[in-house]
């Protein structure tokens, strides 16, 4: 029996996934969480074989949670299941140690098959997304540029961002200018949208 933990912030989606997977003879849903920062503790308590993980969740996102699971429970595999088939997400998911990445509109039988393969230690990736990721290349943003852009999400001022990240205001302006240039946009909000659409954040 493959033990599965569901991690998705949408209650309806979690319920639907649990109902679908309960129809499989060899898969058992042992738990459900709605926040990224609840995943590691539940993995420790329930010892699932596979975590079915959404990307966008409160607390920490699914990619950070995937990395934490791989660091603390290496025998538990992670399968990212997301609405957002963004190429940058796939690359970051693989870097975080996830073995699989599928989009939520995949057929139920494809999801069950992906769980079985990931539980065996095999890699499973949506083929269309894999091709697009290879064609698109890596994110052009450095780690610090990404940090600055994430800190700008809520409309924070340069001074706010500098205070949060312990940087000078001049350094923050330099990072923002670099991000705007790399994304080919006109301002930081456009750069933020472009980076989010590409899955770089």
């Amino acid at each position: 029996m493959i033990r599965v933990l569901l991690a998705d912030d949408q209650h309806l989606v979690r319920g639907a996934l649990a109902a679908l997977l309960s129809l499989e003879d060899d898969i058992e849903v042992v738990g459900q969480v709605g926040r990224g920062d609840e995943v590691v503790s539940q993995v420790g308590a329930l010892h699932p074989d596979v975590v079915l993980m959404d990307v966008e969740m409160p607390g920490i996102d699914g990619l950070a949670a995937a990395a934490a699971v791989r660091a603390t429970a290496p025998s538990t595999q992670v399968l990212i299941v997301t609405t957002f088939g963004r190429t940058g997400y796939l690359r970051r998911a693989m870097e975080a140690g996830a073995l699989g990445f599928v989009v939520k509109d995949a057929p139920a039988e494809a999801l069950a098959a992906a769980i079985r393969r990931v539980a065996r230690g095999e890699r499973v990736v949506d083929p269309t997304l894999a091709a697009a990721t290879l064609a698109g290349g890596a994110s052009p943003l450095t780690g610090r540029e990404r940090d600055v852009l994430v800190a700008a999400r809520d409309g924070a001022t340069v001074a706010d961002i500098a205070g949060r990240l312990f940087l000078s205001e001049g350094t923050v302006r330099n990072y923002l200018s670099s991000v705007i240039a790399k994304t080919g946009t006109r301002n930081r909000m456009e750069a933020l949208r472009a980076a989010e659409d590409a899955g770089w954040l």
Side-chain angles (χ1 to χ4, degrees):
M1 188 66 79
I2 301 168
R3 295 167 57 81
V4 174
L5 172 67
L6 300 179
D8 193 301
D9 64 332
Q10 295 180 17
H11 187 76
L12 195 61
V13 172
R14 286 200 316 271
L17 287 171
L20 280 172
L21 295 175
S22 70
L23 302 174
E24 304 294 329
D25 294 336
D26 57 343
I27 295 173
E28 179 189 6
V29 175
V30 295
Q32 301 180 32
V33 295
R35 296 177 55 89
D37 51 9
E38 295 173 343
V39 173
V40 169
S41 63
Q42 286 302 293
V43 166
L46 300 170
H47 307 290
D49 300 302
V50 176
V51 179
L52 217 58
M53 186 102 68
D54 189 19
V55 173
E56 296 196 350
M57 288 187 289
I60 60 174
D61 70 27
L63 302 177
V69 168
R70 299 303 296 141
T72 58
S75 63
T76 296
Q77 304 298 345
V78 176
L79 173 59
I80 301 290
V81 183
T82 182
T83 309
F84 304 99
R86 295 174 180 163
T87 58
Y89 279 172
L90 172 57
R91 191 177 299 277
R92 287 173 54 210
M94 298 298 113
E95 289 169 357
L99 268 188
F101 192 106
V102 295
V103 289
K104 282 182 181 169
D105 61 1
E109 58 271 20
L111 180 59
I115 290 170
R116 292 182 187 103
R117 289 180 60 193
V118 166
R120 292 195 298 265
E122 299 174 22
R123 193 173 290 290
V124 181
V125 177
D126 179 276
T128 306
L129 199 55
T133 298
L134 289 171
S139 167
L141 305 182
T142 66
R144 215 52 173 141
E145 287 168 349
R146 196 164 63 208
D147 291 344
V148 167
L149 207 49
V150 168
R153 265 188 174 140
D154 60 359
T157 65
V158 167
D160 292 337
I161 297 167
R164 286 179 200 171
L165 299 179
F166 305 102
L167 299 170
S168 72
E169 291 184 28
T171 300
V172 170
R173 285 192 189 92
N174 288 342
Y175 281 133
L176 288 172
S177 295
S178 176
V179 166
I180 289 166
K182 287 179 178 179
T183 54
T185 52
R186 294 174 298 180
N187 57 54
R188 70 168 121 163
M189 295 319 289
E190 284 187 11
L192 182 59
R193 279 195 295 275
E196 284 179 334
D197 288 346
W200 295 338
L201 299 183

